[in-house]
Amino acid sequence: GQQLNQSPQSMFIQEGEDVSMNCTSSSIFNTWLWYKQDPGEGPVLLIALYKAGELTSNGRLTAQFGITRKDSFLNISASIPSDVGIYFCAGSNYNTNAGKSTFGDGTTLTVKP
Amino acid sequence: DVKVTQSSRYLVKRTGEKVFLECVQDMDHENMFWYRQDPGLGLRLIYFSYDVKMKEKGDIPEGYSVSREKKERFSLILESASTNQTSMYLCASSLGQGAEQPQHFGDGTRLSIL
């Protein structure tokens, strides 16, 4: 099946630093989604991307749909302690896998005050 | 807001027991999913369903079955629980088929098999 490589696996940063993480795929996707999972809860959608080259922001978060349609990036600016959690990318292609997403393994973010 | 409710946050069962994990969504979503989450392995899809009484295997269906008798409810069944099924189980739902709708997750059931 389709596989996603998400990196880095974990990050330890100081409060106020910027964060970057990315996902790459061997297959083309026509949707990229980024989720965040707070400790003890289920993942929650942060940003959805539907078009190659699209750049979308949600507060301090910015995500991009790579032009090749095989990658996506998530940046967090000026991190704060509540950014702690696991961030997942997910890609889907309704032409080949309608309704189903492939998830990356997650990036665990720790923010030191 | 979409609400996906999993019946238990924590569950402890014994090896060989038949275990039922229940999930209910309140937004009339067509698609429902069951994942397990283990450290370092991300979210792995066990089964999913596009419609009532319809089910399809995900990436790791062995040892599991599912039931979708009503649109809002999707049950995961461990026929004979084993210790390697100790994990966090997440249910999700999404709207429609073909449109790339995000999945909405429940808060998970942490299952321990002793």
Side-chain angles (χ1 to χ4, degrees), chain A residues 2-3 8 16 20 24-25 28 36 38 47-48 51-52 54-55 62 70 73 79-81 97 100 104 112:
Chain A
Q2 294 169 320
Q3 297 232 330
S20 290
T24 59
S25 169
I28 287 173
K36 183 195 175 196
D38 287 325
I47 293 179
K51 194 173 167 184
E54 181 180 355
L55 185 71
T62 302
K70 292 185 177 181
F73 304 86
S79 58
I80 59 178
N97 235 359
K100 206 170 68 158
K112 292 178 278 187

mmCIF file with all atom_site columns, all heavy atoms in Angstrom, chain A residues 2-3 8 16 20 24-25 28 36 38 47-48 51-52 54-55 62 70 73 79-81 97 100 104 112:
data_model
loop_
_atom_site.group_PDB
_atom_site.id
_atom_site.type_symbol
_atom_site.label_atom_id
_atom_site.label_alt_id
_atom_site.label_comp_id
_atom_site.label_asym_id
_atom_site.label_entity_id
_atom_site.label_seq_id
_atom_site.pdbx_PDB_ins_code
_atom_site.Cartn_x
_atom_site.Cartn_y
_atom_site.Cartn_z
_atom_site.occupancy
_atom_site.B_iso_or_equiv
_atom_site.pdbx_formal_charge
_atom_site.auth_seq_id
_atom_site.auth_comp_id
_atom_site.auth_asym_id
_atom_site.auth_atom_id
_atom_site.pdbx_PDB_model_num
ATOM 1   N N   . GLN A 1 2   ? 0.185   2.397  0.005  1.00 0.00 ? 2   GLN A N   1
ATOM 2   C CA  . GLN A 1 2   ? 0.921   3.658  0.009  1.00 0.00 ? 2   GLN A CA  1
ATOM 3   C C   . GLN A 1 2   ? 1.608   3.850  1.349  1.00 0.00 ? 2   GLN A C   1
ATOM 4   O O   . GLN A 1 2   ? 1.079   3.478  2.385  1.00 0.00 ? 2   GLN A O   1
ATOM 5   C CB  . GLN A 1 2   ? -0.067  4.811  -0.238 1.00 0.00 ? 2   GLN A CB  1
ATOM 6   C CG  . GLN A 1 2   ? -0.685  4.770  -1.604 1.00 0.00 ? 2   GLN A CG  1
ATOM 7   C CD  . GLN A 1 2   ? -1.840  5.749  -1.742 1.00 0.00 ? 2   GLN A CD  1
ATOM 8   O OE1 . GLN A 1 2   ? -2.621  5.896  -0.836 1.00 0.00 ? 2   GLN A OE1 1
ATOM 9   N NE2 . GLN A 1 2   ? -1.927  6.413  -2.875 1.00 0.00 ? 2   GLN A NE2 1
ATOM 10  N N   . GLN A 1 3   ? 2.800   4.478  1.304  1.00 0.00 ? 3   GLN A N   1
ATOM 11  C CA  . GLN A 1 3   ? 3.540   4.711  2.524  1.00 0.00 ? 3   GLN A CA  1
ATOM 12  C C   . GLN A 1 3   ? 3.923   6.173  2.605  1.00 0.00 ? 3   GLN A C   1
ATOM 13  O O   . GLN A 1 3   ? 4.252   6.809  1.603  1.00 0.00 ? 3   GLN A O   1
ATOM 14  C CB  . GLN A 1 3   ? 4.804   3.859  2.522  1.00 0.00 ? 3   GLN A CB  1
ATOM 15  C CG  . GLN A 1 3   ? 4.545   2.369  2.499  1.00 0.00 ? 3   GLN A CG  1
ATOM 16  C CD  . GLN A 1 3   ? 5.295   1.659  3.595  1.00 0.00 ? 3   GLN A CD  1
ATOM 17  O OE1 . GLN A 1 3   ? 6.347   2.085  3.988  1.00 0.00 ? 3   GLN A OE1 1
ATOM 18  N NE2 . GLN A 1 3   ? 4.744   0.567  4.090  1.00 0.00 ? 3   GLN A NE2 1
ATOM 19  N N   . PRO A 1 8   ? 10.804  15.116 11.439 1.00 0.00 ? 8   PRO A N   1
ATOM 20  C CA  . PRO A 1 8   ? 11.509  14.135 12.259 1.00 0.00 ? 8   PRO A CA  1
ATOM 21  C C   . PRO A 1 8   ? 10.539  13.306 13.099 1.00 0.00 ? 8   PRO A C   1
ATOM 22  O O   . PRO A 1 8   ? 9.362   13.640 13.190 1.00 0.00 ? 8   PRO A O   1
ATOM 23  C CB  . PRO A 1 8   ? 12.391  15.010 13.147 1.00 0.00 ? 8   PRO A CB  1
ATOM 24  C CG  . PRO A 1 8   ? 11.613  16.263 13.307 1.00 0.00 ? 8   PRO A CG  1
ATOM 25  C CD  . PRO A 1 8   ? 10.900  16.483 11.996 1.00 0.00 ? 8   PRO A CD  1
ATOM 26  N N   . GLY A 1 16  ? 9.272   29.486 21.987 1.00 0.00 ? 16  GLY A N   1
ATOM 27  C CA  . GLY A 1 16  ? 9.630   30.625 21.147 1.00 0.00 ? 16  GLY A CA  1
ATOM 28  C C   . GLY A 1 16  ? 10.309  30.244 19.842 1.00 0.00 ? 16  GLY A C   1
ATOM 29  O O   . GLY A 1 16  ? 10.348  31.049 18.899 1.00 0.00 ? 16  GLY A O   1
ATOM 30  N N   . SER A 1 20  ? 9.680   22.900 12.121 1.00 0.00 ? 20  SER A N   1
ATOM 31  C CA  . SER A 1 20  ? 9.335   22.429 10.774 1.00 0.00 ? 20  SER A CA  1
ATOM 32  C C   . SER A 1 20  ? 9.305   20.914 10.757 1.00 0.00 ? 20  SER A C   1
ATOM 33  O O   . SER A 1 20  ? 10.169  20.263 11.337 1.00 0.00 ? 20  SER A O   1
ATOM 34  C CB  . SER A 1 20  ? 10.369  22.900 9.755  1.00 0.00 ? 20  SER A CB  1
ATOM 35  O OG  . SER A 1 20  ? 10.270  24.286 9.563  1.00 0.00 ? 20  SER A OG  1
ATOM 36  N N   . THR A 1 24  ? 6.818   12.832 3.139  1.00 0.00 ? 24  THR A N   1
ATOM 37  C CA  . THR A 1 24  ? 7.030   12.517 1.735  1.00 0.00 ? 24  THR A CA  1
ATOM 38  C C   . THR A 1 24  ? 6.419   11.168 1.417  1.00 0.00 ? 24  THR A C   1
ATOM 39  O O   . THR A 1 24  ? 6.317   10.291 2.281  1.00 0.00 ? 24  THR A O   1
ATOM 40  C CB  . THR A 1 24  ? 8.529   12.493 1.382  1.00 0.00 ? 24  THR A CB  1
ATOM 41  O OG1 . THR A 1 24  ? 9.165   11.508 2.199  1.00 0.00 ? 24  THR A OG1 1
ATOM 42  C CG2 . THR A 1 24  ? 9.172   13.842 1.624  1.00 0.00 ? 24  THR A CG2 1
ATOM 43  N N   . SER A 1 25  ? 6.016   11.027 0.168  1.00 0.00 ? 25  SER A N   1
ATOM 44  C CA  . SER A 1 25  ? 5.341   9.813  -0.268 1.00 0.00 ? 25  SER A CA  1
ATOM 45  C C   . SER A 1 25  ? 5.921   9.340  -1.590 1.00 0.00 ? 25  SER A C   1
ATOM 46  O O   . SER A 1 25  ? 6.419   10.137 -2.382 1.00 0.00 ? 25  SER A O   1
ATOM 47  C CB  . SER A 1 25  ? 3.841   10.098 -0.432 1.00 0.00 ? 25  SER A CB  1
ATOM 48  O OG  . SER A 1 25  ? 3.197   9.032  -1.079 1.00 0.00 ? 25  SER A OG  1
ATOM 49  N N   . ILE A 1 28  ? 1.454   9.791  -5.510 1.00 0.00 ? 28  ILE A N   1
ATOM 50  C CA  . ILE A 1 28  ? 0.822   11.108 -5.605 1.00 0.00 ? 28  ILE A CA  1
ATOM 51  C C   . ILE A 1 28  ? -0.451  11.131 -4.762 1.00 0.00 ? 28  ILE A C   1
ATOM 52  O O   . ILE A 1 28  ? -1.237  10.181 -4.774 1.00 0.00 ? 28  ILE A O   1
ATOM 53  C CB  . ILE A 1 28  ? 0.488   11.419 -7.079 1.00 0.00 ? 28  ILE A CB  1
ATOM 54  C CG1 . ILE A 1 28  ? 1.765   11.733 -7.841 1.00 0.00 ? 28  ILE A CG1 1
ATOM 55  C CG2 . ILE A 1 28  ? -0.490  12.589 -7.179 1.00 0.00 ? 28  ILE A CG2 1
ATOM 56  C CD1 . ILE A 1 28  ? 1.552   11.896 -9.331 1.00 0.00 ? 28  ILE A CD1 1
ATOM 57  N N   . LYS A 1 36  ? -3.257  17.167 14.860 1.00 0.00 ? 36  LYS A N   1
ATOM 58  C CA  . LYS A 1 36  ? -2.511  17.202 16.117 1.00 0.00 ? 36  LYS A CA  1
ATOM 59  C C   . LYS A 1 36  ? -3.244  16.365 17.161 1.00 0.00 ? 36  LYS A C   1
ATOM 60  O O   . LYS A 1 36  ? -4.476  16.447 17.286 1.00 0.00 ? 36  LYS A O   1
ATOM 61  C CB  . LYS A 1 36  ? -2.364  18.627 16.647 1.00 0.00 ? 36  LYS A CB  1
ATOM 62  C CG  . LYS A 1 36  ? -1.521  18.699 17.917 1.00 0.00 ? 36  LYS A CG  1
ATOM 63  C CD  . LYS A 1 36  ? -1.680  20.019 18.625 1.00 0.00 ? 36  LYS A CD  1
ATOM 64  C CE  . LYS A 1 36  ? -0.902  19.972 19.939 1.00 0.00 ? 36  LYS A CE  1
ATOM 65  N NZ  . LYS A 1 36  ? -1.290  21.043 20.852 1.00 0.00 ? 36  LYS A NZ  1
ATOM 66  N N   . ASP A 1 38  ? -3.345  15.804 21.134 1.00 0.00 ? 38  ASP A N   1
ATOM 67  C CA  . ASP A 1 38  ? -2.937  16.179 22.485 1.00 0.00 ? 38  ASP A CA  1
ATOM 68  C C   . ASP A 1 38  ? -2.888  14.919 23.347 1.00 0.00 ? 38  ASP A C   1
ATOM 69  O O   . ASP A 1 38  ? -3.598  13.941 23.083 1.00 0.00 ? 38  ASP A O   1
ATOM 70  C CB  . ASP A 1 38  ? -3.926  17.170 23.094 1.00 0.00 ? 38  ASP A CB  1
ATOM 71  C CG  . ASP A 1 38  ? -3.812  18.550 22.470 1.00 0.00 ? 38  ASP A CG  1
ATOM 72  O OD1 . ASP A 1 38  ? -2.677  18.936 22.121 1.00 0.00 ? 38  ASP A OD1 1
ATOM 73  O OD2 . ASP A 1 38  ? -4.844  19.220 22.314 1.00 0.00 ? 38  ASP A OD2 1
ATOM 74  N N   . ILE A 1 47  ? -5.004  21.541 9.549  1.00 0.00 ? 47  ILE A N   1
ATOM 75  C CA  . ILE A 1 47  ? -5.017  22.190 8.238  1.00 0.00 ? 47  ILE A CA  1
ATOM 76  C C   . ILE A 1 47  ? -5.303  21.133 7.176  1.00 0.00 ? 47  ILE A C   1
ATOM 77  O O   . ILE A 1 47  ? -4.788  20.019 7.251  1.00 0.00 ? 47  ILE A O   1
ATOM 78  C CB  . ILE A 1 47  ? -3.660  22.875 7.935  1.00 0.00 ? 47  ILE A CB  1
ATOM 79  C CG1 . ILE A 1 47  ? -3.441  24.063 8.877  1.00 0.00 ? 47  ILE A CG1 1
ATOM 80  C CG2 . ILE A 1 47  ? -3.594  23.330 6.483  1.00 0.00 ? 47  ILE A CG2 1
ATOM 81  C CD1 . ILE A 1 47  ? -2.109  24.786 8.668  1.00 0.00 ? 47  ILE A CD1 1
ATOM 82  N N   . ALA A 1 48  ? -6.107  21.505 6.174  1.00 0.00 ? 48  ALA A N   1
ATOM 83  C CA  . ALA A 1 48  ? -6.388  20.654 5.020  1.00 0.00 ? 48  ALA A CA  1
ATOM 84  C C   . ALA A 1 48  ? -5.899  21.352 3.756  1.00 0.00 ? 48  ALA A C   1
ATOM 85  O O   . ALA A 1 48  ? -6.105  22.554 3.587  1.00 0.00 ? 48  ALA A O   1
ATOM 86  C CB  . ALA A 1 48  ? -7.879  20.365 4.923  1.00 0.00 ? 48  ALA A CB  1
ATOM 87  N N   . LYS A 1 51  ? -4.787  21.352 -3.083 1.00 0.00 ? 51  LYS A N   1
ATOM 88  C CA  . LYS A 1 51  ? -4.293  21.744 -4.400 1.00 0.00 ? 51  LYS A CA  1
ATOM 89  C C   . LYS A 1 51  ? -2.777  21.825 -4.360 1.00 0.00 ? 51  LYS A C   1
ATOM 90  O O   . LYS A 1 51  ? -2.193  22.409 -3.438 1.00 0.00 ? 51  LYS A O   1
ATOM 91  C CB  . LYS A 1 51  ? -4.875  23.119 -4.735 1.00 0.00 ? 51  LYS A CB  1
ATOM 92  C CG  . LYS A 1 51  ? -4.750  23.558 -6.149 1.00 0.00 ? 51  LYS A CG  1
ATOM 93  C CD  . LYS A 1 51  ? -5.530  24.860 -6.313 1.00 0.00 ? 51  LYS A CD  1
ATOM 94  C CE  . LYS A 1 51  ? -5.196  25.537 -7.621 1.00 0.00 ? 51  LYS A CE  1
ATOM 95  N NZ  . LYS A 1 51  ? -5.856  26.830 -7.744 1.00 0.00 ? 51  LYS A NZ  1
ATOM 96  N N   . ALA A 1 52  ? -2.105  21.238 -5.354 1.00 0.00 ? 52  ALA A N   1
ATOM 97  C CA  . ALA A 1 52  ? -0.649  21.288 -5.424 1.00 0.00 ? 52  ALA A CA  1
ATOM 98  C C   . ALA A 1 52  ? -0.174  22.730 -5.403 1.00 0.00 ? 52  ALA A C   1
ATOM 99  O O   . ALA A 1 52  ? -0.712  23.590 -6.113 1.00 0.00 ? 52  ALA A O   1
ATOM 100 C CB  . ALA A 1 52  ? -0.167  20.591 -6.693 1.00 0.00 ? 52  ALA A CB  1
ATOM 101 N N   . GLU A 1 54  ? -0.466  24.705 -2.883 1.00 0.00 ? 54  GLU A N   1
ATOM 102 C CA  . GLU A 1 54  ? -1.265  25.485 -1.933 1.00 0.00 ? 54  GLU A CA  1
ATOM 103 C C   . GLU A 1 54  ? -0.497  25.731 -0.642 1.00 0.00 ? 54  GLU A C   1
ATOM 104 O O   . GLU A 1 54  ? 0.156   24.829 -0.118 1.00 0.00 ? 54  GLU A O   1
ATOM 105 C CB  . GLU A 1 54  ? -2.566  24.737 -1.643 1.00 0.00 ? 54  GLU A CB  1
ATOM 106 C CG  . GLU A 1 54  ? -3.526  25.423 -0.702 1.00 0.00 ? 54  GLU A CG  1
ATOM 107 C CD  . GLU A 1 54  ? -4.791  24.600 -0.464 1.00 0.00 ? 54  GLU A CD  1
ATOM 108 O OE1 . GLU A 1 54  ? -4.953  23.544 -1.112 1.00 0.00 ? 54  GLU A OE1 1
ATOM 109 O OE2 . GLU A 1 54  ? -5.610  25.005 0.379  1.00 0.00 ? 54  GLU A OE2 1
ATOM 110 N N   . LEU A 1 55  ? -0.591  26.954 -0.149 1.00 0.00 ? 55  LEU A N   1
ATOM 111 C CA  . LEU A 1 55  ? 0.018   27.336 1.124  1.00 0.00 ? 55  LEU A CA  1
ATOM 112 C C   . LEU A 1 55  ? -1.107  27.874 2.001  1.00 0.00 ? 55  LEU A C   1
ATOM 113 O O   . LEU A 1 55  ? -1.786  28.831 1.619  1.00 0.00 ? 55  LEU A O   1
ATOM 114 C CB  . LEU A 1 55  ? 1.083   28.415 0.906  1.00 0.00 ? 55  LEU A CB  1
ATOM 115 C CG  . LEU A 1 55  ? 1.903   28.857 2.117  1.00 0.00 ? 55  LEU A CG  1
ATOM 116 C CD1 . LEU A 1 55  ? 2.868   27.761 2.530  1.00 0.00 ? 55  LEU A CD1 1
ATOM 117 C CD2 . LEU A 1 55  ? 2.654   30.146 1.793  1.00 0.00 ? 55  LEU A CD2 1
ATOM 118 N N   . THR A 1 62  ? 1.525   26.995 9.492  1.00 0.00 ? 62  THR A N   1
ATOM 119 C CA  . THR A 1 62  ? 1.483   27.134 8.039  1.00 0.00 ? 62  THR A CA  1
ATOM 120 C C   . THR A 1 62  ? 1.816   25.786 7.421  1.00 0.00 ? 62  THR A C   1
ATOM 121 O O   . THR A 1 62  ? 2.777   25.128 7.847  1.00 0.00 ? 62  THR A O   1
ATOM 122 C CB  . THR A 1 62  ? 2.504   28.177 7.550  1.00 0.00 ? 62  THR A CB  1
ATOM 123 O OG1 . THR A 1 62  ? 2.222   29.431 8.174  1.00 0.00 ? 62  THR A OG1 1
ATOM 124 C CG2 . THR A 1 62  ? 2.427   28.335 6.035  1.00 0.00 ? 62  THR A CG2 1
ATOM 125 N N   . LYS A 1 70  ? 3.755   14.923 -3.897 1.00 0.00 ? 70  LYS A N   1
ATOM 126 C CA  . LYS A 1 70  ? 4.273   13.793 -3.132 1.00 0.00 ? 70  LYS A CA  1
ATOM 127 C C   . LYS A 1 70  ? 4.807   14.215 -1.773 1.00 0.00 ? 70  LYS A C   1
ATOM 128 O O   . LYS A 1 70  ? 5.381   13.391 -1.057 1.00 0.00 ? 70  LYS A O   1
ATOM 129 C CB  . LYS A 1 70  ? 5.389   13.098 -3.907 1.00 0.00 ? 70  LYS A CB  1
ATOM 130 C CG  . LYS A 1 70  ? 4.916   12.386 -5.170 1.00 0.00 ? 70  LYS A CG  1
ATOM 131 C CD  . LYS A 1 70  ? 6.060   11.627 -5.803 1.00 0.00 ? 70  LYS A CD  1
ATOM 132 C CE  . LYS A 1 70  ? 5.578   10.844 -7.019 1.00 0.00 ? 70  LYS A CE  1
ATOM 133 N NZ  . LYS A 1 70  ? 6.697   10.074 -7.625 1.00 0.00 ? 70  LYS A NZ  1
ATOM 134 N N   . PHE A 1 73  ? 4.536   20.055 4.003  1.00 0.00 ? 73  PHE A N   1
ATOM 135 C CA  . PHE A 1 73  ? 5.318   20.593 5.105  1.00 0.00 ? 73  PHE A CA  1
ATOM 136 C C   . PHE A 1 73  ? 4.394   21.307 6.087  1.00 0.00 ? 73  PHE A C   1
ATOM 137 O O   . PHE A 1 73  ? 3.396   21.907 5.694  1.00 0.00 ? 73  PHE A O   1
ATOM 138 C CB  . PHE A 1 73  ? 6.347   21.607 4.580  1.00 0.00 ? 73  PHE A CB  1
ATOM 139 C CG  . PHE A 1 73  ? 7.245   21.050 3.523  1.00 0.00 ? 73  PHE A CG  1
ATOM 140 C CD1 . PHE A 1 73  ? 6.863   21.052 2.192  1.00 0.00 ? 73  PHE A CD1 1
ATOM 141 C CD2 . PHE A 1 73  ? 8.469   20.506 3.868  1.00 0.00 ? 73  PHE A CD2 1
ATOM 142 C CE1 . PHE A 1 73  ? 7.683   20.519 1.215  1.00 0.00 ? 73  PHE A CE1 1
ATOM 143 C CE2 . PHE A 1 73  ? 9.299   19.984 2.895  1.00 0.00 ? 73  PHE A CE2 1
ATOM 144 C CZ  . PHE A 1 73  ? 8.907   19.983 1.564  1.00 0.00 ? 73  PHE A CZ  1
ATOM 145 N N   . SER A 1 79  ? 6.861   28.782 18.975 1.00 0.00 ? 79  SER A N   1
ATOM 146 C CA  . SER A 1 79  ? 6.190   27.716 19.709 1.00 0.00 ? 79  SER A CA  1
ATOM 147 C C   . SER A 1 79  ? 5.894   28.112 21.158 1.00 0.00 ? 79  SER A C   1
ATOM 148 O O   . SER A 1 79  ? 6.623   28.895 21.779 1.00 0.00 ? 79  SER A O   1
ATOM 149 C CB  . SER A 1 79  ? 7.041   26.455 19.677 1.00 0.00 ? 79  SER A CB  1
ATOM 150 O OG  . SER A 1 79  ? 8.304   26.723 20.240 1.00 0.00 ? 79  SER A OG  1
ATOM 151 N N   . ILE A 1 80  ? 4.826   27.529 21.674 1.00 0.00 ? 80  ILE A N   1
ATOM 152 C CA  . ILE A 1 80  ? 4.405   27.738 23.058 1.00 0.00 ? 80  ILE A CA  1
ATOM 153 C C   . ILE A 1 80  ? 4.175   26.370 23.704 1.00 0.00 ? 80  ILE A C   1
ATOM 154 O O   . ILE A 1 80  ? 4.041   25.367 22.993 1.00 0.00 ? 80  ILE A O   1
ATOM 155 C CB  . ILE A 1 80  ? 3.121   28.601 23.128 1.00 0.00 ? 80  ILE A CB  1
ATOM 156 C CG1 . ILE A 1 80  ? 1.972   27.930 22.364 1.00 0.00 ? 80  ILE A CG1 1
ATOM 157 C CG2 . ILE A 1 80  ? 3.378   30.000 22.606 1.00 0.00 ? 80  ILE A CG2 1
ATOM 158 C CD1 . ILE A 1 80  ? 0.657   28.700 22.441 1.00 0.00 ? 80  ILE A CD1 1
ATOM 159 N N   . PRO A 1 81  ? 4.146   26.294 25.023 1.00 0.00 ? 81  PRO A N   1
ATOM 160 C CA  . PRO A 1 81  ? 4.023   24.985 25.684 1.00 0.00 ? 81  PRO A CA  1
ATOM 161 C C   . PRO A 1 81  ? 2.813   24.161 25.233 1.00 0.00 ? 81  PRO A C   1
ATOM 162 O O   . PRO A 1 81  ? 2.889   22.933 25.173 1.00 0.00 ? 81  PRO A O   1
ATOM 163 C CB  . PRO A 1 81  ? 3.935   25.362 27.165 1.00 0.00 ? 81  PRO A CB  1
ATOM 164 C CG  . PRO A 1 81  ? 4.735   26.612 27.267 1.00 0.00 ? 81  PRO A CG  1
ATOM 165 C CD  . PRO A 1 81  ? 4.455   27.370 25.992 1.00 0.00 ? 81  PRO A CD  1
ATOM 166 N N   . ASN A 1 97  ? -8.208  5.474  -3.754 1.00 0.00 ? 97  ASN A N   1
ATOM 167 C CA  . ASN A 1 97  ? -8.434  5.011  -2.383 1.00 0.00 ? 97  ASN A CA  1
ATOM 168 C C   . ASN A 1 97  ? -9.514  5.838  -1.712 1.00 0.00 ? 97  ASN A C   1
ATOM 169 O O   . ASN A 1 97  ? -9.321  6.350  -0.615 1.00 0.00 ? 97  ASN A O   1
ATOM 170 C CB  . ASN A 1 97  ? -7.125  5.176  -1.602 1.00 0.00 ? 97  ASN A CB  1
ATOM 171 C CG  . ASN A 1 97  ? -6.698  3.879  -0.971 1.00 0.00 ? 97  ASN A CG  1
ATOM 172 O OD1 . ASN A 1 97  ? -7.373  2.862  -1.084 1.00 0.00 ? 97  ASN A OD1 1
ATOM 173 N ND2 . ASN A 1 97  ? -5.581  3.907  -0.292 1.00 0.00 ? 97  ASN A ND2 1
ATOM 174 N N   . LYS A 1 100 ? -10.298 6.936  2.173  1.00 0.00 ? 100 LYS A N   1
ATOM 175 C CA  . LYS A 1 100 ? -9.306  6.402  3.100  1.00 0.00 ? 100 LYS A CA  1
ATOM 176 C C   . LYS A 1 100 ? -8.047  7.254  3.045  1.00 0.00 ? 100 LYS A C   1
ATOM 177 O O   . LYS A 1 100 ? -7.623  7.690  1.981  1.00 0.00 ? 100 LYS A O   1
ATOM 178 C CB  . LYS A 1 100 ? -8.973  4.961  2.687  1.00 0.00 ? 100 LYS A CB  1
ATOM 179 C CG  . LYS A 1 100 ? -8.473  4.090  3.812  1.00 0.00 ? 100 LYS A CG  1
ATOM 180 C CD  . LYS A 1 100 ? -8.411  2.646  3.382  1.00 0.00 ? 100 LYS A CD  1
ATOM 181 C CE  . LYS A 1 100 ? -7.344  2.403  2.342  1.00 0.00 ? 100 LYS A CE  1
ATOM 182 N NZ  . LYS A 1 100 ? -6.932  0.978  2.300  1.00 0.00 ? 100 LYS A NZ  1
ATOM 183 N N   . GLY A 1 104 ? 1.113   9.294  8.330  1.00 0.00 ? 104 GLY A N   1
ATOM 184 C CA  . GLY A 1 104 ? 2.505   9.178  8.729  1.00 0.00 ? 104 GLY A CA  1
ATOM 185 C C   . GLY A 1 104 ? 2.595   8.653  10.145 1.00 0.00 ? 104 GLY A C   1
ATOM 186 O O   . GLY A 1 104 ? 1.587   8.539  10.848 1.00 0.00 ? 104 GLY A O   1
ATOM 187 N N   . LYS A 1 112 ? 10.048  23.087 25.718 1.00 0.00 ? 112 LYS A N   1
ATOM 188 C CA  . LYS A 1 112 ? 10.540  23.419 27.055 1.00 0.00 ? 112 LYS A CA  1
ATOM 189 C C   . LYS A 1 112 ? 10.307  24.895 27.349 1.00 0.00 ? 112 LYS A C   1
ATOM 190 O O   . LYS A 1 112 ? 10.714  25.742 26.560 1.00 0.00 ? 112 LYS A O   1
ATOM 191 C CB  . LYS A 1 112 ? 12.023  23.079 27.144 1.00 0.00 ? 112 LYS A CB  1
ATOM 192 C CG  . LYS A 1 112 ? 12.300  21.584 27.082 1.00 0.00 ? 112 LYS A CG  1
ATOM 193 C CD  . LYS A 1 112 ? 13.785  21.288 27.131 1.00 0.00 ? 112 LYS A CD  1
ATOM 194 C CE  . LYS A 1 112 ? 14.414  21.435 25.770 1.00 0.00 ? 112 LYS A CE  1
ATOM 195 N NZ  . LYS A 1 112 ? 15.825  20.991 25.736 1.00 0.00 ? 112 LYS A NZ  1
#
